[in-house]
Amino acid sequence: MALKPMAYHPASRQQARITAVLGPTNTGKTHFAIERMLAHRSGMIGLPLRLLAREVFDKLVRLRGESEVALITGEERILPKSPRFFVCTVEAMPVDIGVAFLAVDEIQLCTDPERGHIFTDRLLNARGDEETLWLGSATMKPAIARIAPETHFITRPRFSELACTGAKKLSRLPRRSAVVAFSVEDVYGIADTVRTQRGGAAVVLGALSPRTRNAQVALYQSGEVDFMIATDAIGMGINMDVDHVAFAARDKFDGFTIRPLKPEEMGQIAGRAGRYMNDGTFGVTGDTEPLESDLVQQIENHRYDPVKVLQWRNNALDYSSIDRLLASLDEPSPWRGLVKCRPVSDLITLNALGHDPEIRASATAPAAVKLLWQACQLPDFRKLTADEHARLAGRIFRHLISDSGVLPDDWMARQIARLDVVDGDVDTLSGRLAQIRTWTYIANRPGWTTNPRQWQEITRAVEDRLSDALHERLTQRFIDRRTSLLMRHLRDDDELPTEVDDSGTVRLGPEPLGKLEGFVFTPDPRADAIHQRSLRAAAGRMLGPELERRARALISAPDHDFMLTYHGNIWWSGAVVAKLAAGGHPLTPLVEVKADEPLGNSLRDAVKSRLETWVATHVETHLEPLVALKRAAAARTSSWENGGLPGPARGLAFRMAENLGHVAYDGVPLTSETRAAARELRRFGVKTGCRAFYLPRMIKPAASALAAMLWAVKAGLPQLPAPPSPGLTSFAVTDGDGPPAFLEAACFMIIAGRAVRMDMVDRIDNALQRASRERCDARISLNTVISLLGSSADSATAVASGLGWRQAPAHQSGAAAMIWQPIRTRKRRPRGTPHRDSPFAGLAALAPTE
């Protein structure tokens, strides 16, 4: 990297600006630091968690691109060729790299017994060439002022209020709550209880990998679960929409002893409640003693005792021998306000290995002693025993000090392969994950392996697989959305509000019960553990007010809010509320309301009446000529002036209304009487075609589709077919197109296996008659038929044949080779004689004589 090393001397420190941004959680300090860093030519930010470092790194990559941002943590290193900005964990900050801007987040961790000496070292020694920024709690102000009097302090108040709500049972905690415990056993136990009582919870532990932790947080953030059970790992670095924090304990084991939480530690955790401008609450749950009023005031007002001493350890180490290294690490604090930290994992490991004769014999040169110290700084992710950790560090050192100078590939492969197993329960997978994180750290140490990139990819892949498997096991164990407890809540009349969202999903508290579509409740099909009938009955008791509200809204809804589909279903507000059934006449179908029993008879009748009125209006609007024919046929007078019709015309009108707009000549022969009757019906739009009497206005897509659907409803078809597509003049008939009468109701006639629109039948017959009279070439007129049908020549010829036409040779000189001729000459009955099967035969006997 091209950046120059830092120069830590008083002159350079005085030239650079030092700022401390202090305040409680939810003040946007990290966001402020990112903005300040991007304003400089280069920068570095140290963060307390690998998870948070990755989050900030991803954000900077989106803003500046991959080539400008580096990520350096103990377990992950992403180093472009010439990065300008470095995102690191505090322990992994490369202090030998010079940058214009430097920031450290959560600087109050200078007081942490295990990690505090590292944060204190950064506070004492790490500086940016142009600006240095400390982020953390206001309790650090006196300590920072002593170390760097030139510091400019900025106090940022919390965006929202934080209030104590006292003690609550787990079963009464509000949604979007985080329950905090301080041991794995307690976290799992509480999560099991919440699963039983509230349907499930996400789990967050410090021992989880970032991938598993992110996946669990995503469950909570997505709303799949409304509760999170966590250790104090949520106190920093995890942004969540938590409304309430409940402490399930007030003591924690800090690695050496069980001690009470400090007020500022409780404030750090409680401060996770409320995000940005949303207020938050905190309290206790379970058997935890209520919080004292003084402690509550401290947390609510964010006022804690200032930090008086910082954890410190000498960083000027003597590598001339193991004993001198130990002595330099045991140096007392040189300044007041700094206290030598207690022995932590790396020093304990060095003390253990320093008594090993083989290692003492190998670590005689300064370079070897320094290498031993680096091996001792391997984080103890496994948390087994100090001796076990020391043995692993010793073995690593022996490999590194050997002639090869690196860890053997076969040894690395064996250690990793035994961990690459995704079977097992939560505890087993957690153990494997802790171990693979050790090897991920080793793979990222410069110079420890022959092929660092290969081993980094291998360990990361294994860690990802184990992380995903652990997330799956945690979800299976601690989330059960379909439990019998839902019914228990109903029996006990717990105050869990029933909600129906915009999509119709019905929830009782956090539990989804099913979906309310229109007036019908459908239980959640995934709720296998809940008896479907009981669930429906329980939901019915709660949905009465909602059903009543919907019914009254439907009754007062305007006509344009309703829709009738070709399936015969009536839709309103995005759901089917009724279906049509066969009535006394095709134009007057019945309406069957689809509603559950809780709707009530009176409201059900009112809904039915409103829908019947709409259906009648809808039919009259789209089938106006049919409705007019029906009314005229039903009139008790034969007077035109009074809306009636004479006998023959009335009979034809009745048949046409019953047949939904057409009467074929097979049923009512074309005679002088029927022609006269048709002429009387011209004012209704009736046309005398070549094959049938029909209403051309019924050919419009909306009218024909509605008429076909009404025919299917009247016929009682179990499944209503779709009407012909708008714009088609003909199509080949298949089994799925419905029976012939259905197509005829849609104004299509079946001719030679093809459905032909009625107006096209007339046009084709007229075209062939004209061609026959004029003795035109049959091929030319056939093209006209093909164009009208939109079909092949063979289909057009078959339709023409079905209409009674054939191609025949012309016998006159100068005529076309082939012309169209009628297939046969039909015998006509004497004028005025009805067909014997026609209803007009009976009407003729009743007709008055002159």
Side-chain angles (χ1 to χ4, degrees):
M1 286 176 273
L3 298 175
K4 62 181 180 64
M6 287 181 173
Y8 299 131
H9 52 82
S12 64
R13 290 191 182 186
Q14 292 174 2
Q15 293 170 0
R17 175 184 176 87
I18 301 178
T19 305
V21 180
L22 307 178
T25 55
N26 190 20
T27 58
K29 295 188 292 292
T30 305
H31 181 72
F32 174 81
I34 293 173
E35 289 184 339
R36 292 298 306 150
M37 181 168 68
L38 294 179
H40 291 270
R41 55 182 170 81
S42 62
M44 181 186 301
I45 183 169
L47 298 154
L49 297 174
R50 171 189 172 195
L51 177 70
L52 186 55
R54 183 73 203 208
E55 181 181 319
V56 173
F57 170 78
D58 291 339
K59 184 174 183 178
L60 286 175
V61 167
R62 290 193 298 269
L63 293 173
R64 290 303 181 92
E66 295 180 354
S67 63
E68 294 195 7
V69 189
L71 174 66
I72 303 176
T73 70
E75 300 165 68
E76 193 171 9
R77 297 172 69 89
I78 300 176
L79 287 171
K81 185 176 181 180
S82 300
R84 294 176 56 199
F85 305 103
F86 295 81
V87 182
C88 321
T89 50
V90 174
E91 288 86 345
M93 292 176 72
V95 294
D96 59 338
I97 300 299
V99 288
F101 172 89
L102 185 141
V104 176
D105 193 15
E106 305 291 359
I107 196 63
Q108 75 274 5
L109 288 179
C110 287
T111 63
D112 185 77
E114 291 193 23
R115 305 171 65 198
H117 65 278
I118 300 171
F119 282 79
T120 301
D121 179 74
R122 303 297 183 256
L123 179 63
L124 292 172
N125 300 313
R127 297 290 184 273
D129 293 343
E130 298 172 4
E131 183 177 1
T132 302
L133 183 64
W134 312 121
L135 309 171
S137 170
T139 59
M140 283 294 293
K141 184 174 181 178
I144 295 175
R146 286 197 306 271
I147 292 172
E150 69 275 23
T151 301
H152 173 67
F153 290 95
I154 300 175
T155 301
R156 293 178 71 94
R158 181 181 164 94
F159 291 139
S160 59
E161 297 293 329
L162 187 62
C164 180
T165 57
K168 292 181 181 292
K169 296 180 180 179
L170 281 174
S171 60
R172 300 291 185 175
L173 287 177
R175 297 172 61 243
R176 315 310 293 166
S177 289
V179 182
V180 181
F182 298 96
S183 70
V184 174
E185 294 78 11
D186 287 346
V187 167
Y188 288 170
I190 294 170
D192 275 327
T193 302
V194 172
R195 171 185 178 273
T196 303
Q197 295 183 350
R198 310 299 293 269
V203 173
V204 171
L205 304 168
L208 299 181
S209 69
R211 187 181 180 95
T212 304
R213 201 181 319 184
N214 282 339
Q216 287 289 302
V217 170
L219 281 176
Y220 176 84
Q221 286 293 91
S222 67
E224 190 166 349
V225 293
D226 281 322
F227 300 92
M228 174 172 290
I229 318 302
T231 62
D232 52 349
I234 70 166
M236 64 182 72
I238 302 178
N239 294 320
M240 299 173 298
D241 298 326
V242 175
D243 294 335
H244 180 78
V245 170
F247 289 91
R250 294 177 56 182
D251 302 308
K252 66 174 290 187
F253 180 71
D254 63 2
F256 283 85
T257 185
I258 296 177
R259 62 170 178 83
L261 289 172
K262 299 175 183 177
E264 55 269 27
E265 292 174 327
M266 296 192 72
Q268 178 82 14
I269 298 169
R272 307 313 296 180
R275 296 298 302 166
Y276 192 53
M277 301 302 292
N278 297 323
D279 294 339
T281 58
F282 65 96
V284 296
T285 189
D287 298 329
T288 306
E289 291 293 325
L291 304 178
E292 297 81 7
S293 59
D294 291 345
L295 177 59
V296 169
Q297 289 184 11
Q298 282 186 281
I299 297 175
E300 289 181 342
N301 299 318
H302 319 295
R303 298 187 183 279
Y304 309 105
D305 295 335
V307 171
K308 296 179 179 179
V309 295
L310 309 180
Q311 298 294 316
W312 176 88
R313 188 169 74 181
N314 181 29
N315 70 344
L317 303 182
D318 185 351
Y319 296 110
S320 59
S321 68
I322 294 178
D323 292 334
R324 293 200 174 188
L325 174 60
L326 288 168
S328 62
L329 287 167
D330 197 39
E331 285 283 337
S333 165
W335 301 320
R336 183 182 177 184
L338 302 180
V339 60
K340 186 180 71 174
C341 69
R342 69 192 184 194
V344 291
S345 176
D346 53 2
L347 183 55
I348 293 171
T349 303
L350 179 62
N351 267 310
L353 296 180
H355 291 86
D356 186 320
E358 181 184 351
I359 288 181
R360 291 188 70 88
S362 300
T364 55
V369 175
K370 187 173 184 180
L371 187 59
L372 174 62
W373 177 236
Q374 291 175 350
C376 293
Q377 289 182 298
L378 174 70
D380 186 11
F381 295 113
R382 301 178 300 168
K383 302 294 183 185
L384 299 175
T385 64
D387 290 343
E388 184 68 28
H389 184 66
R391 279 194 290 272
L392 176 60
R395 190 163 189 181
I396 289 172
F397 170 72
R398 291 185 180 93
H399 285 305
L400 296 177
I401 204 67
S402 65
D403 293 340
S404 64
V406 293
L407 301 178
D409 285 348
D410 59 343
W411 181 67
M412 286 276 292
R414 288 196 303 273
Q415 302 303 316
I416 295 171
R418 66 185 180 86
L419 301 175
D420 192 9
V421 181
V422 296
D423 298 330
D425 58 14
V426 169
D427 293 331
T428 302
L429 289 170
S430 296
R432 291 193 194 117
L433 189 56
Q435 294 186 62
I436 196 60
R437 290 183 67 189
T438 300
W439 297 102
T440 302
Y441 179 92
I442 290 171
N444 280 275
R445 293 296 297 167
W448 280 24
T449 57
T450 55
N451 191 339
R453 183 175 295 275
Q454 175 190 352
W455 289 113
Q456 288 165 15
E457 292 175 354
I458 291 173
T459 54
R460 175 52 51 80
V462 175
E463 180 180 326
D464 287 348
R465 285 193 288 273
L466 290 173
S467 296
D468 293 342
L470 178 57
H471 169 63
E472 182 180 350
R473 300 299 190 283
L474 289 170
T475 302
Q476 291 172 351
R477 177 171 172 180
F478 297 122
I479 300 177
D480 183 2
R481 304 164 191 85
R482 271 76 58 181
T483 67
S484 61
L485 191 71
L486 176 62
M487 302 312 299
R488 197 180 311 165
H489 277 304
L490 296 176
R491 290 196 304 268
D492 297 341
D493 291 328
D494 281 352
E495 296 178 3
L496 290 177
T498 303
E499 299 177 355
V500 182
D501 61 22
D502 293 339
S503 67
T505 300
V506 181
R507 295 180 182 276
L508 177 62
E511 293 288 349
L513 302 186
K515 206 160 189 179
L516 182 62
E517 296 178 304
F519 302 102
V520 176
F521 172 75
T522 303
D524 188 345
R526 299 170 298 174
D528 299 330
I530 300 175
H531 195 285
Q532 292 284 316
R533 187 168 58 185
S534 299
L535 180 57
R536 186 186 296 277
R541 292 200 304 270
M542 298 176 293
L543 292 175
E546 174 65 17
L547 292 174
E548 180 178 350
R549 183 194 68 79
R550 293 190 176 194
R552 297 193 184 283
L554 182 147
I555 293 168
S556 59
D559 286 354
H560 60 73
D561 282 359
F562 301 100
M563 181 177 69
L564 180 62
T565 67
Y566 67 79
H567 293 104
N569 293 325
I570 301 175
W571 286 69
W572 171 76
S573 192
V576 177
V577 294
K579 67 175 183 178
L580 299 185
H585 192 277
L587 294 176
T588 56
L590 301 179
V591 173
E592 294 182 353
V593 177
K594 299 182 68 174
D596 291 337
E597 291 183 4
L599 179 60
N601 291 333
S602 60
L603 280 176
R604 184 189 299 267
D605 291 343
V607 167
K608 181 178 180 181
S609 176
R610 174 68 182 97
L611 294 176
E612 287 175 341
T613 300
W614 177 80
V615 169
T617 302
H618 184 74
V619 170
E620 185 167 354
T621 300
H622 291 86
L623 306 182
E624 184 271 332
L626 266 183
V627 175
L629 276 178
K630 179 176 177 294
R631 287 175 180 166
R636 296 183 178 181
T637 177
S638 60
S639 169
W640 284 97
E641 290 79 6
N642 296 324
L645 291 171
R650 180 182 301 177
L652 181 58
F654 179 83
R655 289 292 301 275
M656 291 193 69
E658 195 174 51
N659 280 6
L660 294 166
H662 74 283
V663 174
Y665 298 154
D666 292 341
V668 179
L670 188 61
T671 65
S672 59
E673 287 85 359
T674 56
R675 288 181 182 274
R679 284 196 296 272
E680 294 182 5
L681 298 182
R682 283 180 183 175
R683 64 189 179 104
F684 297 98
V686 174
K687 181 177 180 179
T688 303
C690 69
R691 285 293 188 95
F693 300 111
Y694 67 96
L695 286 164
R697 289 170 61 185
M698 293 295 296
I699 294 174
K700 294 180 178 179
S704 65
L706 178 57
M709 185 267 292
L710 291 176
W711 180 92
V713 169
K714 177 63 177 174
L717 297 185
Q719 185 173 359
L720 275 60
S725 299
L728 285 180
T729 57
S730 76
F731 56 90
V733 178
T734 63
D735 293 339
D737 292 324
F742 172 79
L743 296 175
E744 289 173 3
C747 292
F748 281 81
M749 302 189 75
I750 310 300
I751 302 173
R754 194 169 187 85
V756 184
R757 211 169 66 193
M758 290 185 180
D759 60 331
M760 291 298 111
V761 173
D762 285 354
R763 292 179 63 180
I764 292 170
D765 192 69
N766 292 336
L768 295 178
Q769 286 187 29
R770 184 169 55 255
S772 177
R773 287 195 307 268
E774 299 175 359
R775 306 184 70 78
C776 297
D777 191 332
R779 291 173 297 179
I780 297 175
S781 50
L782 181 63
N783 289 335
T784 302
V785 177
I786 292 173
S787 175
L788 292 172
L789 291 175
S791 68
S792 65
D794 291 342
S795 295
T797 302
V799 169
S801 177
L803 290 175
W805 296 94
R806 66 183 178 89
Q807 296 186 40
H811 300 294
Q812 297 179 6
S813 60
M818 299 291 289
I819 61 172
W820 290 101
Q821 287 184 352
I823 293 177
R824 65 180 182 275
T825 302
R826 287 176 271 185
K827 283 188 175 182
R828 295 184 177 273
R829 288 186 294 277
R831 292 180 63 85
T833 305
H835 190 276
R836 67 176 181 274
D837 295 328
S838 169
F840 292 98
L843 293 174
L846 300 176
T849 58
E850 296 182 359

PDB file of all heavy atoms in Angstrom, residues 13 41 93 119 128 143 152 163 250 254 270 303 432 496 556 571 726 802:
ATOM      1  N   ARG A  13       0.450  15.729  16.446  1.00  0.00           N
ATOM      2  CA  ARG A  13      -0.818  15.620  17.153  1.00  0.00           C
ATOM      3  C   ARG A  13      -1.470  16.990  17.321  1.00  0.00           C
ATOM      4  O   ARG A  13      -2.669  17.129  17.204  1.00  0.00           O
ATOM      5  CB  ARG A  13      -0.612  14.983  18.528  1.00  0.00           C
ATOM      6  CG  ARG A  13      -0.263  13.509  18.469  1.00  0.00           C
ATOM      7  CD  ARG A  13      -0.357  12.921  19.851  1.00  0.00           C
ATOM      8  NE  ARG A  13       0.015  11.519  19.830  1.00  0.00           N
ATOM      9  CZ  ARG A  13      -0.078  10.727  20.886  1.00  0.00           C
ATOM     10  NH1 ARG A  13      -0.543  11.213  22.019  1.00  0.00           N
ATOM     11  NH2 ARG A  13       0.277   9.475  20.819  1.00  0.00           N
ATOM     12  N   ARG A  41      -9.272  12.844   2.143  1.00  0.00           N
ATOM     13  CA  ARG A  41      -8.648  12.096   1.054  1.00  0.00           C
ATOM     14  C   ARG A  41      -8.446  10.627   1.413  1.00  0.00           C
ATOM     15  O   ARG A  41      -8.359   9.764   0.544  1.00  0.00           O
ATOM     16  CB  ARG A  41      -7.291  12.716   0.698  1.00  0.00           C
ATOM     17  CG  ARG A  41      -6.337  12.837   1.880  1.00  0.00           C
ATOM     18  CD  ARG A  41      -5.019  13.503   1.491  1.00  0.00           C
ATOM     19  NE  ARG A  41      -4.210  13.821   2.667  1.00  0.00           N
ATOM     20  CZ  ARG A  41      -3.457  12.942   3.307  1.00  0.00           C
ATOM     21  NH1 ARG A  41      -3.420  11.682   2.886  1.00  0.00           N
ATOM     22  NH2 ARG A  41      -2.746  13.305   4.367  1.00  0.00           N
ATOM     23  N   MET A  93      -6.988  -2.821  13.542  1.00  0.00           N
ATOM     24  CA  MET A  93      -6.584  -1.573  12.884  1.00  0.00           C
ATOM     25  C   MET A  93      -5.082  -1.581  12.586  1.00  0.00           C
ATOM     26  O   MET A  93      -4.265  -1.767  13.493  1.00  0.00           O
ATOM     27  CB  MET A  93      -6.916  -0.370  13.768  1.00  0.00           C
ATOM     28  CG  MET A  93      -8.395  -0.106  13.938  1.00  0.00           C
ATOM     29  SD  MET A  93      -8.740   1.255  15.081  1.00  0.00           S
ATOM     30  CE  MET A  93      -8.219   2.671  14.078  1.00  0.00           C
ATOM     31  N   PHE A 119      -8.609  -0.517  23.216  1.00  0.00           N
ATOM     32  CA  PHE A 119      -9.269   0.760  22.963  1.00  0.00           C
ATOM     33  C   PHE A 119      -8.471   1.904  23.591  1.00  0.00           C
ATOM     34  O   PHE A 119      -8.346   2.983  23.005  1.00  0.00           O
ATOM     35  CB  PHE A 119     -10.698   0.727  23.513  1.00  0.00           C
ATOM     36  CG  PHE A 119     -11.668  -0.016  22.639  1.00  0.00           C
ATOM     37  CD1 PHE A 119     -11.709  -1.409  22.652  1.00  0.00           C
ATOM     38  CD2 PHE A 119     -12.513   0.671  21.788  1.00  0.00           C
ATOM     39  CE1 PHE A 119     -12.602  -2.090  21.840  1.00  0.00           C
ATOM     40  CE2 PHE A 119     -13.410  -0.014  20.979  1.00  0.00           C
ATOM     41  CZ  PHE A 119     -13.450  -1.396  20.998  1.00  0.00           C
ATOM     42  N   GLY A 128      -5.272  10.575  13.205  1.00  0.00           N
ATOM     43  CA  GLY A 128      -5.286  10.883  11.790  1.00  0.00           C
ATOM     44  C   GLY A 128      -4.401  12.085  11.523  1.00  0.00           C
ATOM     45  O   GLY A 128      -4.204  12.940  12.394  1.00  0.00           O
ATOM     46  N   ALA A 143     -12.143  11.587  30.892  1.00  0.00           N
ATOM     47  CA  ALA A 143     -10.950  10.807  30.580  1.00  0.00           C
ATOM     48  C   ALA A 143     -10.302  11.283  29.289  1.00  0.00           C
ATOM     49  O   ALA A 143      -9.070  11.415  29.203  1.00  0.00           O
ATOM     50  CB  ALA A 143     -11.318   9.323  30.474  1.00  0.00           C
ATOM     51  N   HIS A 152     -12.086  18.710  20.843  1.00  0.00           N
ATOM     52  CA  HIS A 152     -13.325  19.477  20.711  1.00  0.00           C
ATOM     53  C   HIS A 152     -14.489  18.507  20.924  1.00  0.00           C
ATOM     54  O   HIS A 152     -14.624  17.502  20.212  1.00  0.00           O
ATOM     55  CB  HIS A 152     -13.401  20.101  19.312  1.00  0.00           C
ATOM     56  CG  HIS A 152     -14.725  20.763  19.025  1.00  0.00           C
ATOM     57  ND1 HIS A 152     -15.146  21.892  19.688  1.00  0.00           N
ATOM     58  CD2 HIS A 152     -15.714  20.436  18.147  1.00  0.00           C
ATOM     59  CE1 HIS A 152     -16.338  22.246  19.233  1.00  0.00           C
ATOM     60  NE2 HIS A 152     -16.699  21.374  18.291  1.00  0.00           N
ATOM     61  N   ALA A 163     -38.321   5.413  28.135  1.00  0.00           N
ATOM     62  CA  ALA A 163     -39.080   5.410  29.384  1.00  0.00           C
ATOM     63  C   ALA A 163     -39.198   4.001  29.927  1.00  0.00           C
ATOM     64  O   ALA A 163     -39.255   3.011  29.174  1.00  0.00           O
ATOM     65  CB  ALA A 163     -40.476   5.993  29.162  1.00  0.00           C
ATOM     66  N   ARG A 250     -30.141  -9.214  35.856  1.00  0.00           N
ATOM     67  CA  ARG A 250     -29.394  -7.974  36.101  1.00  0.00           C
ATOM     68  C   ARG A 250     -27.958  -8.254  36.488  1.00  0.00           C
ATOM     69  O   ARG A 250     -27.220  -7.344  36.885  1.00  0.00           O
ATOM     70  CB  ARG A 250     -30.089  -7.153  37.187  1.00  0.00           C
ATOM     71  CG  ARG A 250     -31.463  -6.642  36.778  1.00  0.00           C
ATOM     72  CD  ARG A 250     -32.151  -5.903  37.895  1.00  0.00           C
ATOM     73  NE  ARG A 250     -31.348  -4.796  38.416  1.00  0.00           N
ATOM     74  CZ  ARG A 250     -31.718  -4.017  39.433  1.00  0.00           C
ATOM     75  NH1 ARG A 250     -32.895  -4.230  40.033  1.00  0.00           N
ATOM     76  NH2 ARG A 250     -30.936  -3.047  39.853  1.00  0.00           N
ATOM     77  N   ASP A 254     -18.558 -11.982  33.774  1.00  0.00           N
ATOM     78  CA  ASP A 254     -17.663 -11.195  32.922  1.00  0.00           C
ATOM     79  C   ASP A 254     -16.381 -11.918  32.563  1.00  0.00           C
ATOM     80  O   ASP A 254     -15.410 -11.299  32.110  1.00  0.00           O
ATOM     81  CB  ASP A 254     -17.331  -9.866  33.598  1.00  0.00           C
ATOM     82  CG  ASP A 254     -16.571 -10.050  34.905  1.00  0.00           C
ATOM     83  OD1 ASP A 254     -16.263 -11.206  35.263  1.00  0.00           O
ATOM     84  OD2 ASP A 254     -16.280  -9.031  35.576  1.00  0.00           O
ATOM     85  N   ALA A 270     -30.597  -0.905  27.098  1.00  0.00           N
ATOM     86  CA  ALA A 270     -31.963  -0.352  27.030  1.00  0.00           C
ATOM     87  C   ALA A 270     -32.101   0.643  25.897  1.00  0.00           C
ATOM     88  O   ALA A 270     -33.177   0.804  25.315  1.00  0.00           O
ATOM     89  CB  ALA A 270     -32.321   0.311  28.355  1.00  0.00           C
ATOM     90  N   ARG A 303     -27.735   9.774  32.235  1.00  0.00           N
ATOM     91  CA  ARG A 303     -26.743  10.424  33.107  1.00  0.00           C
ATOM     92  C   ARG A 303     -26.088   9.358  33.971  1.00  0.00           C
ATOM     93  O   ARG A 303     -26.733   8.755  34.830  1.00  0.00           O
ATOM     94  CB  ARG A 303     -27.409  11.494  33.974  1.00  0.00           C
ATOM     95  CG  ARG A 303     -28.028  12.634  33.164  1.00  0.00           C
ATOM     96  CD  ARG A 303     -28.530  13.748  34.068  1.00  0.00           C
ATOM     97  NE  ARG A 303     -29.183  14.807  33.309  1.00  0.00           N
ATOM     98  CZ  ARG A 303     -28.552  15.774  32.671  1.00  0.00           C
ATOM     99  NH1 ARG A 303     -27.228  15.833  32.735  1.00  0.00           N
ATOM    100  NH2 ARG A 303     -29.214  16.690  31.993  1.00  0.00           N
ATOM    101  N   ARG A 432     -19.151 -26.348  16.337  1.00  0.00           N
ATOM    102  CA  ARG A 432     -18.387 -26.411  15.084  1.00  0.00           C
ATOM    103  C   ARG A 432     -18.150 -25.013  14.526  1.00  0.00           C
ATOM    104  O   ARG A 432     -17.078 -24.713  13.992  1.00  0.00           O
ATOM    105  CB  ARG A 432     -19.137 -27.256  14.046  1.00  0.00           C
ATOM    106  CG  ARG A 432     -19.210 -28.727  14.375  1.00  0.00           C
ATOM    107  CD  ARG A 432     -19.664 -29.513  13.169  1.00  0.00           C
ATOM    108  NE  ARG A 432     -20.059 -30.864  13.548  1.00  0.00           N
ATOM    109  CZ  ARG A 432     -21.271 -31.355  13.424  1.00  0.00           C
ATOM    110  NH1 ARG A 432     -22.231 -30.609  12.889  1.00  0.00           N
ATOM    111  NH2 ARG A 432     -21.547 -32.587  13.790  1.00  0.00           N
ATOM    112  N   LEU A 496     -55.476 -10.079  23.171  1.00  0.00           N
ATOM    113  CA  LEU A 496     -54.678 -10.059  21.947  1.00  0.00           C
ATOM    114  C   LEU A 496     -55.562  -9.528  20.833  1.00  0.00           C
ATOM    115  O   LEU A 496     -56.543 -10.163  20.448  1.00  0.00           O
ATOM    116  CB  LEU A 496     -54.174 -11.463  21.600  1.00  0.00           C
ATOM    117  CG  LEU A 496     -53.111 -12.023  22.549  1.00  0.00           C
ATOM    118  CD1 LEU A 496     -52.763 -13.432  22.140  1.00  0.00           C
ATOM    119  CD2 LEU A 496     -51.875 -11.156  22.556  1.00  0.00           C
ATOM    120  N   SER A 556     -73.803  -0.002   0.602  1.00  0.00           N
ATOM    121  CA  SER A 556     -73.781   1.397   0.169  1.00  0.00           C
ATOM    122  C   SER A 556     -72.792   1.646  -0.969  1.00  0.00           C
ATOM    123  O   SER A 556     -72.602   2.789  -1.372  1.00  0.00           O
ATOM    124  CB  SER A 556     -73.418   2.294   1.353  1.00  0.00           C
ATOM    125  OG  SER A 556     -72.146   1.942   1.874  1.00  0.00           O
ATOM    126  N   TRP A 571     -67.519 -10.033  -7.882  1.00  0.00           N
ATOM    127  CA  TRP A 571     -66.374  -9.553  -7.098  1.00  0.00           C
ATOM    128  C   TRP A 571     -66.683  -8.179  -6.529  1.00  0.00           C
ATOM    129  O   TRP A 571     -67.299  -7.335  -7.177  1.00  0.00           O
ATOM    130  CB  TRP A 571     -65.122  -9.463  -7.968  1.00  0.00           C
ATOM    131  CG  TRP A 571     -64.521 -10.802  -8.290  1.00  0.00           C
ATOM    132  CD1 TRP A 571     -65.055 -11.761  -9.086  1.00  0.00           C
ATOM    133  CD2 TRP A 571     -63.267 -11.303  -7.821  1.00  0.00           C
ATOM    134  NE1 TRP A 571     -64.219 -12.841  -9.156  1.00  0.00           N
ATOM    135  CE2 TRP A 571     -63.103 -12.586  -8.390  1.00  0.00           C
ATOM    136  CE3 TRP A 571     -62.267 -10.795  -7.010  1.00  0.00           C
ATOM    137  CZ2 TRP A 571     -61.982 -13.370  -8.145  1.00  0.00           C
ATOM    138  CZ3 TRP A 571     -61.143 -11.568  -6.762  1.00  0.00           C
ATOM    139  CH2 TRP A 571     -61.008 -12.845  -7.317  1.00  0.00           C
ATOM    140  N   PRO A 726     -62.605 -11.738 -27.753  1.00  0.00           N
ATOM    141  CA  PRO A 726     -63.136 -10.601 -28.519  1.00  0.00           C
ATOM    142  C   PRO A 726     -62.407 -10.449 -29.854  1.00  0.00           C
ATOM    143  O   PRO A 726     -61.191 -10.638 -29.937  1.00  0.00           O
ATOM    144  CB  PRO A 726     -62.880  -9.407 -27.606  1.00  0.00           C
ATOM    145  CG  PRO A 726     -62.736  -9.977 -26.231  1.00  0.00           C
ATOM    146  CD  PRO A 726     -62.126 -11.323 -26.416  1.00  0.00           C
ATOM    147  N   GLY A 802     -70.946 -26.290 -45.783  1.00  0.00           N
ATOM    148  CA  GLY A 802     -71.913 -26.363 -44.701  1.00  0.00           C
ATOM    149  C   GLY A 802     -73.052 -25.384 -44.880  1.00  0.00           C
ATOM    150  O   GLY A 802     -74.163 -25.610 -44.381  1.00  0.00           O
TER     151      GLY A 802
END
